[in-house]
Amino acid sequence: MRIASILPLALAASLTASPALAAPASILGKWKTDDAKSVITFYECGTAICGKIDRFLVKEPDGGIRDTKNPDKTKRGEMLLGKRIFWNLTPDGDAFEGKGYSPEEGRYFNADLAREGTKLKVKGCVSVFCRTVTFTRL
């Protein structure tokens, strides 16, 4: 009798706990940046997710766009097209956390990405200073 009354409670508890254990919505695929200058493609890389500059939506200068603001002077001549700018993105609650790089600012940052339907909130933090931009699913 006692087991029969506990079983429904255990079942209800397991059903209500399931959403908290659910993985965040997928961010794989192509996303347009908030400034409409480029498309970022997120893809599986090992056990994590990475993101690279897939194409530019603005006219490139002759010879392409280079990583001129990279803090590592030896990388300033590298092409930005195809450059990985997000890496080690792994699920954390309802978002993904990992690392990112902003070629426009020449800064590396801690990244937190959360999908909201066709929008992707990308929060980047350096120390205690954070900035959030919104990408749009293509």
Side-chain angles (χ1 to χ4, degrees):
M1 215 43 169
R2 187 147 171 85
I3 292 175
S5 62
I6 293 175
L7 187 58
L9 291 175
L11 180 60
S14 69
L15 290 176
T16 58
S18 295
L21 300 175
S26 175
I27 61 171
L28 298 177
K30 298 180 184 300
W31 298 83
K32 182 172 67 171
T33 58
D34 66 330
D35 60 8
K37 291 183 179 179
S38 60
V39 173
I40 308 300
T41 296
F42 289 95
Y43 57 95
E44 292 179 355
C45 56
T47 59
I49 294 176
C50 293
K52 67 179 180 177
I53 300 173
D54 187 58
R55 67 182 159 117
F56 290 106
L57 302 173
V58 295
K59 185 175 177 358
E60 291 184 66
D62 291 340
I65 300 174
R66 304 211 178 254
D67 193 5
T68 59
K69 294 185 180 178
N70 196 304
D72 180 345
K73 291 180 183 180
T74 64
K75 295 181 179 182
R76 290 185 180 169
E78 292 181 357
M79 302 295 290
L80 285 182
L81 188 62
K83 186 172 187 79
R84 185 178 65 171
I85 59 171
F86 292 97
W87 59 95
N88 292 341
L89 296 171
T90 56
D92 182 44
D94 61 351
F96 289 88
E97 286 190 352
K99 299 293 181 183
Y101 171 67
S102 170
E104 287 188 333
E105 298 172 1
R107 291 188 182 204
Y108 291 89
F109 57 88
N110 294 317
D112 185 27
L113 289 74
R115 181 172 170 187
E116 298 173 1
T118 60
K119 302 292 182 186
L120 183 63
K121 300 287 184 184
V122 180
K123 180 179 178 183
C125 297
V126 177
S127 185
V128 296
F129 302 100
C130 299
R131 180 175 159 216
T132 301
V133 296
T134 303
F135 293 177
T136 305
R137 169 77 85 186
L138 286 183

